[in-house]
């Protein structure tokens, strides 16, 4: 009788161990799949971030090129307008006013000195208020 009881408990133990092993193996496989998926998502996210950084760097370079080309075009238009119409008064020349500002900006950016946070002249912002009050 002791042998039969021992054999029955052994069979029950093996069956319970087999069921537990099957349940944990499924969870382990699912965890491995989730971990692989997580690593793949992280890699894709990092790749996307790098592409985004590259995109913004290229966009900044293109905008810088556009601004330089615009400045060159404006200088060309101002020069040719003064060459082609030498008798035109400066106030009638639409490029003359801005040409001074563009060359001033170009000179300050070409220098090795950092930009100042103030200007030499007043902005004229308060002059408009004084005139409107006096009127």
């Amino acid at each position: 009788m002791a042998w039969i009881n021992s054999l029955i408990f052994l069979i029950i133990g093996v069956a319970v161990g087999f069921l537990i092993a099957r349940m944990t193996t499924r969870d382990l496989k699912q965890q491995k799949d989730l971990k692989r998926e997580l690593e793949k998502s992280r890699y894709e996210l990092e790749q996307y971030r790098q592409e985004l950084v590259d995109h913004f760097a290229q966009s900044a370079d293109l905008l810088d090129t556009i601004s330089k080309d615009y400045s060159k075009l404006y200088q060309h238009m101002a020069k040719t307008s003064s060459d082609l119409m030498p008798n035109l008064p400066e106030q009638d020349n639409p490029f003359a006013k801005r040409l001074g500002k563009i060359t001033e900006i170009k000179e300050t950016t070409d220098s090795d000195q950092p930009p100042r946070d103030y200007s030499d002249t007043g902005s004229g912002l308060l002059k408009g208020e004084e005139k409107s009050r006096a009127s």
Side-chain angles (χ1 to χ4, degrees):
M1 207 39 144
W3 286 96
I4 296 175
N5 286 339
S6 297
L7 188 59
I8 292 173
F9 286 130
L10 180 65
I11 292 172
I12 292 173
V14 169
V16 169
F18 180 75
L19 290 174
I20 291 174
R22 287 286 288 178
M23 285 187 216
T24 57
T25 306
R26 288 182 192 156
D27 292 343
L28 184 62
K29 183 181 177 196
Q30 190 178 23
Q31 285 178 349
K32 285 182 180 180
D33 290 342
L34 286 175
K35 188 173 182 178
R36 248 186 267 125
E37 197 174 317
L38 176 65
E39 291 299 321
K40 181 182 173 189
S41 297
R42 283 182 180 167
Y43 176 75
E44 289 173 353
L45 179 64
E46 189 60 36
Q47 194 174 18
Y48 175 73
R49 285 182 180 167
Q50 187 60 41
E51 289 175 3
L52 193 63
V53 167
D54 293 343
H55 167 74
F56 282 125
Q58 185 181 12
S59 297
D61 289 342
L62 290 172
L63 285 173
D64 187 43
T65 304
I66 287 172
S67 68
K68 288 178 182 176
D69 289 345
Y70 173 76
S71 181
K72 286 178 186 177
L73 175 67
Y74 207 90
Q75 287 175 353
H76 171 74
M77 293 297 290
K79 183 177 181 266
T80 55
S81 68
S82 64
D83 290 346
L84 295 174
M85 297 181 289
N87 297 331
L88 185 68
E90 189 172 315
Q91 67 268 14
D92 292 340
N93 189 347
F95 298 104
K97 296 175 187 174
R98 287 191 165 174
L99 182 61
K101 292 179 184 177
I102 289 175
T103 54
E104 181 180 308
I105 290 170
K106 186 176 180 185
E107 289 172 1
T108 57
T109 56
D110 290 345
S111 68
D112 292 332
Q113 298 177 358
R116 301 183 309 194
D117 14 339
Y118 62 92
S119 67
D120 290 332
T121 60
S123 65
L125 182 66
L126 299 177
K127 288 182 181 179
E129 286 182 6
E130 290 174 6
K131 287 181 183 178
S132 64
R133 287 183 191 169
S135 299

